[in-house]
Amino acid sequence: MAFFKISCFNIPSPLLMFPVKEENKVCLFSLTNKREYELKVDLEKLQNWRFVGSSHGWLVILNEKADPILLNIFSGICHQLPGKETFPHIDSMHEVENGVFEIHYKSWNYSVSHSSENLRQLSVVKAVLSSDPSCDASCTVIVMYYVLGTSKLAFCRLGDSRWTGFGGEIQSYYDVACKDNVLYALGGGPSIEVWDFHESTPTRKIVIQAPCPQELKDAGQIYPSDLYSSQWYLVFSSCEMFLVVRYIGEFVRNDGEVVYEGDTLTNYFIFPYRTVKFHVYKLDFDQKIWLPVESLNDRALFLGGNHSVSLSVKEHPGCKANSIYFTDDYWDRMDEHDSYGGHDMGIFKLGDGRIEQLFDCDLQKFELPPFWIVPN
């Protein structure tokens, strides 16, 4: 495995990690000082990796064999996590030829074969950390992983040999977020399961059930499922909890109109998908209701494949207040076309609904999707 690190430690966060294919390099872009910092790694060596998490400044990566790894790019420290064959839904796995694995799932009576590339796309959806491994040896890695079209939960402590599954009544999880060694797992409804990770075995504390806000119900007519998809995120801001809903047009013209696939009525070039809107809600813990949020005040949210975070622009100059910084995490479609993927990123202004470019870049295909990194 090719480890990589950056030689400069005093880089003001938040940071956007992105590839520069023409120069065969990977860079970090600081929003604070608008400077780029080059990572000491060959971009070609990362083509067969997949980044599935960014939390507390650490990255969770699926390597060329689709095995999970925990890496700190600032120190170069790496932890090998339990292998892909130890996920709870897998009975056995064998490599039948180079990069091809025969897998027997516990819920199936037959075996299937997958390449390493397919496994990277079909296994881990998202990963977060309960705490910073640099300061907490008992740090827990929590992952959402695919099982028959649904997302389930598993965890491991550093040094564990297997992934341990856990979960409650939620059939498929949409997002996970950690705060003070407590996990908040988001499901449909929306509903939230709260899991305590202070002990060796996680225990479910409560389930937060709040009625679906009317605006979210009505969004189904404004953003019909045959033209749009959506992503849900959980974000903590001090003592507040936000639900952020992202609406993605499946096929979007250059003028911003969302159209059906194969639309031939215009001569506009059609993008495969693009984010068009965000809605934000705040949980009222006392009344157990979701309240629409019209302003984030001096906060900026950072969403994507990373552990969702909220930052104060006063403490992070260069960031724009009342904004959502987002990167592409549409894993189901990111690899479907040679010309696109990883491109869906920008700055959503909650005040007027405009979307601005993150930086000056016309590239529409990123072999390594841009990722937010926010060190502690």
Side-chain angles (χ1 to χ4, degrees):
M1 173 186 173
F3 299 101
F4 62 99
K5 62 182 292 187
I6 193 164
S7 57
C8 179
F9 286 85
N10 296 319
I11 304 177
S13 68
L15 305 168
L16 180 68
M17 183 178 69
F18 67 97
V20 183
K21 188 173 183 179
E22 296 80 5
E23 302 177 32
N24 191 35
K25 67 180 182 181
V26 180
C27 291
L28 295 178
F29 177 73
S30 169
L31 292 181
T32 300
N33 62 17
K34 303 299 186 290
R35 290 181 56 189
E36 292 183 8
Y37 302 84
E38 183 179 350
L39 286 168
K40 297 186 179 302
V41 62
D42 189 335
L43 177 59
E44 293 183 0
K45 296 180 180 178
L46 299 184
Q47 302 298 322
N48 294 325
W49 292 6
R50 190 180 189 94
F51 292 75
V52 294
S54 171
S55 185
H56 297 277
W58 291 69
L59 294 173
V60 181
I61 303 167
L62 302 182
N63 66 10
E64 65 277 1
K65 294 288 188 180
D67 288 313
I69 292 165
L70 180 62
L71 176 67
N72 188 306
I73 63 171
F74 300 97
S75 65
I77 295 175
C78 176
H79 296 280
Q80 185 73 53
L81 301 176
K84 58 186 176 297
E85 71 280 359
T86 69
F87 277 110
H89 65 305
I90 293 178
D91 184 49
S92 62
M93 180 184 298
H94 306 283
E95 188 169 13
V96 293
E97 58 181 280
N98 187 30
V100 178
F101 297 86
E102 185 178 83
I103 307 168
H104 189 275
Y105 295 97
K106 292 180 179 178
S107 57
W108 296 0
N109 293 322
Y110 57 91
S111 298
V112 295
S113 294
H114 285 300
S115 66
S116 296
E117 181 180 4
N118 285 340
L119 286 174
R120 288 193 297 271
Q121 297 171 359
L122 296 172
S123 53
V124 178
V125 184
K126 188 171 188 176
V128 299
L129 306 181
S130 65
S131 56
D132 185 349
S134 305
C135 310
D136 183 5
S138 63
C139 164
T140 305
V141 183
I142 300 109
V143 298
M144 292 167 46
Y145 66 97
Y146 278 127
V147 181
L148 298 176
T150 63
S151 294
K152 302 299 183 182
L153 300 178
F155 78 94
C156 75
R157 312 277 186 182
L158 296 185
D160 283 357
S161 59
R162 301 189 63 83
W163 292 96
T164 301
F166 69 103
E169 284 75 31
I170 292 178
Q171 295 301 307
S172 185
Y173 294 90
Y174 295 173
D175 195 19
V176 286
C178 271
K179 181 179 174 64
D180 301 324
N181 274 306
V182 176
L183 177 75
Y184 297 80
L186 174 66
S191 59
I192 300 171
E193 293 177 354
V194 183
W195 295 83
D196 190 340
F197 273 84
H198 284 91
E199 303 299 331
S200 58
T201 301
T203 55
R204 191 176 65 177
K205 297 172 63 177
I206 57 172
V207 176
I208 301 174
Q209 293 278 10
C212 182
Q214 189 61 44
E215 184 184 44
L216 185 53
K217 292 180 181 178
D218 296 340
Q221 299 181 12
I222 303 172
Y223 306 104
S225 59
D226 56 346
L227 286 173
Y228 300 85
S229 63
S230 64
Q231 307 258 40
W232 290 15
Y233 305 87
L234 266 187
V235 192
F236 282 98
S237 178
S238 185
C239 295
E240 296 179 323
M241 180 189 294
F242 293 115
L243 167 66
V244 183
V245 183
R246 173 180 183 173
Y247 295 98
I248 304 169
E250 297 288 9
F251 298 91
V252 186
R253 299 193 316 201
N254 274 348
D255 62 359
E257 183 179 349
V258 180
V259 297
Y260 289 98
E261 182 181 9
D263 189 309
T264 58
L265 297 179
T266 71
N267 293 321
Y268 287 98
F269 189 78
I270 296 178
F271 287 108
Y273 59 90
R274 190 194 302 174
T275 295
V276 298
K277 190 73 172 179
F278 283 91
H279 287 170
V280 182
Y281 308 92
K282 181 176 69 173
L283 182 63
D284 184 318
F285 285 93
D286 295 327
Q287 300 186 55
K288 296 293 189 297
I289 57 174
W290 292 102
L291 303 173
V293 174
E294 297 182 356
S295 175
L296 297 169
N297 300 317
D298 76 330
R299 311 296 295 188
L301 307 184
F302 291 81
L303 308 179
N306 57 291
H307 191 161
S308 303
V309 295
S310 167
L311 299 178
S312 167
V313 299
K314 295 178 181 178
E315 299 174 5
H316 297 82
C319 298
K320 299 180 180 181
N322 196 30
S323 299
I324 299 174
Y325 289 73
F326 63 94
T327 56
D328 197 342
D329 62 350
Y330 199 168
W331 309 123
D332 289 344
R333 295 192 57 197
M334 193 177 296
D335 299 315
E336 73 178 10
H337 201 285
D338 292 337
S339 300
Y340 303 95
H343 63 282
D344 188 23
M345 55 183 173
I347 308 170
F348 178 81
K349 311 303 289 292
L350 193 57
D352 56 19
R354 289 185 299 111
I355 295 179
E356 300 177 356
Q357 278 190 309
L358 269 174
F359 56 91
D360 187 17
C361 178
D362 295 326
L363 188 65
Q364 294 297 319
K365 179 64 176 180
F366 290 84
E367 299 298 337
L368 181 69
F371 241 79
W372 293 114
I373 300 177
V374 185
N376 288 346

